[in-house]
Amino acid sequence: MRRRRVIRSEPAGVAARRAASWRLPARFDCWLPITLVLLSAAGCGAAGDRAADPAYARGSTVVMGVTDLDAVKPDNSDLDFLYLLPLAKRDERGDLQGHLARSWEHSSDHKEYTFHLRTGLQWDDGVPVTARDVKFTLDLLGHPDVAEYSGIESTVLNDSTIRIRAGSPAYIDDITYFPRHLLERLDPAAFWEWDFWRRPVGNGPYRFVRYVPDTMMEFEVNPRYYGPRPRIERVILKFVGAGAGLTELMAGNVDIVQANLQQLPRVASDRRFRVYSHAGAGARAIYWKTDHPLFADQLVRRALALALDRPALLLLLNLSAELPITDGVFTPQQFRRSEWTDPLPYDPDEARKLLEAAGWVDRDGDGVREKEGRPFRFTATVVQGAGFPELAVHLQEFFDRVGVRMEIVHRDAASMWELLRTGEFEAWMYVAQPGPSAQLRDFGRGNQTGYRNGEAFAIIDTIRLAADPAELDRLYRRLSAIYRNDLPFVRIIPWSRDWFVHRRIQGLSVPFRAEPDTYMETLWLASEEEDAREP
């Protein structure tokens, strides 16, 4: 799940294409992951069967399965990090570590950065990497025919220095940069169909070796790479088609596959694999229509939050118990530093007391609370896919225990956004985003969720204009405290990218280092002896 599009003002055509293909706003404005599968040959769980395990026979090679060639194109996954460099990349704590850039400084408002590139870097064909490649890429991605980003201005000061001004510094780790000398004469209107994506020339930890149409793409360790030599020598991208990954995994033909919530129960108990979940700052959440008679009372919204056993939901959905349960909102950096407000606890007894205090009492003994003759029944509109239908059923059960009935209606992504635009819903289950555009849309001035709080409006207005990380942290702490009190929505479980990984692959951890595509250059394969010692 790539964390893109924090900067741009999105053209209408791009927005329509995104809704049609069931994508969520990216990092964060977070996107729904494409159906990406990583494969490496897997083996049987028993030590005695390992001689026949292709994962051991292959040596230091990982085969990564993708649904199609789109997976290696920028913005569709993190696979472009295999062969292209960003200016910097964030570590597990959210701190920037230089890659293409060796150092940088910024203006007092954090909207203008000057980057000093590493000298001596070369593209795979031996041509030097310069600041002109960075400017070319930014201009290309802002071209109307590509329309990936907007509002970025760049000036080349010399071959190794570039000044960039934008409303947000997200382009530092969001964008990987392309070779100008190979692409500048190509038509931007055909950007996504360029032959370059089939035979890419890069500067990252791996370099392109070969492409077999409809079959595979192969990469090997790049001898020109400036950083430590990756311990996994070869990465093969195998085109497997949508939905084939899990079958291949269970058959013992692959050892890493990106999962979804429906697949977790089938694999979680298999000792050949580990489940790794990478937590994003977004969350699967339920929004209340706060001007609706059922949800206008803050006591009611608090009671409904207390009725949810969110740690138990992780277990019920076979997700890692290490995923953080949180309330409020925060920047991605705050999230990675675990700087969030403590979540409300699971307390069904207190939930029942609050509902009674708000006048909702089960007077006729049918298990449903009433107030002034109206039963507490509501409809939750739930987006199809991404584990939301399964999650909604569990919420239904928790609410039932405190005398509240929730009906479930499923909608596709496009109609969900239309509901939000019109405000024609009672409760709405979707992904809560931490970014300023999401706060403006969901809870800012003129929003359709019914939320009204003048202090929150003022903070959201300020967040939209701020770029200083320290100032953003302070603003988000204030906004988070307001949300935690008002509870216009409940973060249920974190949004995550979930992976099944053969136990021989080492170097991943939950919750912030669980993505094999992002961290491939730092992973390694345990020896057979090391694997045998693990429980």
Side-chain angles (χ1 to χ4, degrees):
M1 177 188 69
R2 194 58 173 264
R3 20 175 220 298
R4 300 297 206 218
R5 312 188 200 282
V6 181
I7 303 168
R8 58 158 171 72
S9 174
E10 183 175 273
V14 175
R17 184 175 72 236
R18 184 169 301 143
S21 62
W22 175 212
R23 282 181 167 182
L24 296 170
R27 189 171 178 155
F28 263 1
D29 300 342
C30 153
W31 288 67
L32 182 74
I34 63 169
T35 308
L36 174 91
V37 181
L38 279 94
L39 299 88
S40 174
C44 301
D49 297 330
R50 286 185 181 130
D53 186 345
Y56 290 93
R58 186 178 288 126
S60 187
T61 297
V62 169
V63 181
M64 305 175 67
V66 297
T67 57
D68 52 42
L69 187 63
D70 282 344
V72 303
K73 299 176 183 178
D75 208 20
N76 284 331
S77 72
D78 283 344
L79 285 173
D80 54 328
F81 283 136
L82 288 176
Y83 63 96
L84 293 171
L85 291 178
L87 288 167
K89 189 188 290 187
R90 296 194 182 274
D91 61 18
E92 295 93 318
R93 287 182 51 81
D95 297 325
L96 287 169
Q97 304 295 325
H99 280 251
L100 185 58
R102 59 179 171 81
S103 64
W104 54 87
E105 57 265 3
H106 55 77
S107 61
S108 59
D109 64 1
H110 284 258
K111 294 185 178 180
E112 185 173 277
Y113 277 67
T114 300
F115 294 95
H116 306 280
L117 307 189
R118 297 180 189 276
T119 56
L121 293 181
Q122 294 180 339
W123 297 104
D124 295 338
D125 59 4
V127 174
V129 178
T130 74
R132 290 171 179 80
D133 296 303
V134 175
K135 177 173 176 54
F136 165 76
T137 301
L138 294 175
D139 291 347
L140 174 65
L141 295 177
H143 191 283
D145 289 331
V146 179
E148 288 294 288
Y149 291 85
S150 67
I152 306 176
E153 301 174 1
S154 61
T155 303
V156 173
L157 303 184
N158 56 52
D159 278 355
S160 62
T161 311
I162 186 169
R163 181 176 296 137
I164 303 175
R165 186 165 184 85
S168 163
Y171 59 85
I172 298 174
D173 64 328
D174 262 2
I175 298 176
T176 51
Y177 292 88
F178 314 145
R180 178 178 69 108
H181 67 287
L182 296 176
L183 305 179
E184 61 183 338
R185 293 182 178 85
L186 300 184
D187 182 5
F191 177 79
W192 298 107
E193 285 72 46
W194 284 350
D195 189 63
F196 178 80
W197 308 123
R198 296 172 180 82
R199 297 168 182 85
V201 173
N203 55 14
Y206 295 90
R207 68 178 181 182
F208 170 76
V209 176
R210 63 183 174 129
Y211 166 67
V212 180
D214 301 319
T215 303
M216 56 86 78
M217 181 180 286
E218 182 178 352
F219 293 83
E220 66 183 4
V221 167
N222 183 2
R224 302 179 190 273
Y225 183 49
Y226 79 91
R229 181 182 177 88
R231 285 180 277 183
I232 292 176
E233 295 283 338
R234 193 169 299 272
V235 178
I236 295 175
L237 308 181
K238 182 180 179 182
F239 306 137
V240 298
L246 183 60
T247 301
E248 293 293 301
L249 179 82
M250 300 306 293
N253 299 325
V254 306
D255 68 2
I256 309 177
V257 64
Q258 188 173 351
N260 59 47
L261 291 185
Q262 294 93 325
Q263 296 170 336
L264 283 165
R266 186 175 171 189
V267 183
S269 61
D270 193 320
R271 68 177 301 272
R272 292 176 295 169
F273 311 106
R274 296 189 183 91
V275 178
Y276 289 99
S277 296
H278 178 85
R284 292 177 176 88
I286 185 165
Y287 293 73
W288 310 116
K289 190 72 166 65
T290 56
D291 58 358
H292 188 281
L294 290 175
F295 307 114
D297 191 334
Q298 186 268 355
L299 290 179
V300 169
R301 300 195 298 271
R302 186 177 184 85
L304 296 175
L306 292 169
L308 298 178
D309 189 346
R310 289 178 280 179
L313 284 169
L314 293 177
L315 300 178
L316 288 168
L317 294 169
N318 292 285
L319 291 167
S320 171
E322 298 176 73
L323 287 173
I325 300 297
T326 62
D327 282 327
V329 290
F330 21 75
T331 66
Q333 289 67 50
Q334 284 176 311
F335 185 69
R336 290 199 175 201
R337 296 192 300 261
S338 302
E339 296 175 3
W340 53 67
T341 56
D342 291 335
L344 291 175
Y346 172 54
D347 192 340
D349 290 336
E350 180 65 16
R352 295 182 187 98
K353 292 177 183 177
L354 290 176
L355 288 169
E356 290 182 7
W360 293 96
V361 180
D362 180 11
R363 294 180 173 85
D364 57 10
D366 66 351
V368 181
R369 297 176 181 273
E370 310 95 26
K371 182 178 180 180
E372 298 175 353
R374 176 176 188 164
F376 202 134
R377 299 178 184 270
F378 71 94
T379 298
T381 305
V382 179
V383 70
Q384 294 172 341
F388 278 97
E390 295 82 1
L391 182 61
V393 170
H394 291 303
L395 261 63
Q396 194 177 47
E397 294 172 355
F398 281 121
F399 291 143
D400 188 67
R401 295 175 189 175
V402 297
V404 173
R405 290 288 189 273
M406 183 179 89
E407 304 298 329
I408 301 171
V409 173
H410 301 108
R411 295 287 190 97
D412 61 27
S415 61
M416 287 290 286
W417 286 115
E418 179 63 18
L419 280 180
L420 182 61
R421 187 187 68 80
T422 61
E424 295 177 358
F425 63 92
E426 295 177 339
W428 193 71
M429 286 187 66
Y430 210 71
V431 177
Q433 309 289 345
S437 61
Q439 304 315 306
L440 177 66
R441 177 194 67 216
D442 300 339
F443 306 118
R445 301 179 194 278
N447 72 80
Q448 296 300 314
T449 64
Y451 182 64
R452 302 291 181 266
N453 185 306
E455 184 181 1
F457 290 169
I459 294 172
I460 292 169
D461 291 344
T462 305
I463 285 175
R464 292 177 60 212
L465 303 175
D468 181 344
E471 174 69 2
L472 285 169
D473 284 353
R474 184 185 67 81
L475 291 168
Y476 270 86
R477 280 192 291 270
R478 288 177 56 197
L479 187 60
S480 191
I482 293 171
Y483 285 169
R484 194 176 188 276
N485 180 71
D486 291 351
L487 293 168
F489 71 106
V490 180
R491 292 173 58 96
I492 306 168
I493 58 174
W495 182 260
S496 61
R497 295 179 78 197
D498 307 305
W499 307 86
F500 303 129
V501 180
H502 191 281
R503 61 185 294 156
R504 187 175 177 229
I505 294 178
Q506 305 290 306
L508 298 170
S509 61
V510 178
F512 301 130
R513 191 183 171 84
E515 298 174 295
D517 54 351
T518 303
Y519 295 104
M520 181 59 65
E521 67 180 282
T522 67
L523 305 182
W524 68 96
L525 302 180
S527 67
E528 190 170 355
E529 291 76 16
E530 289 173 322
D531 191 23
R533 289 196 297 268
E534 292 193 12

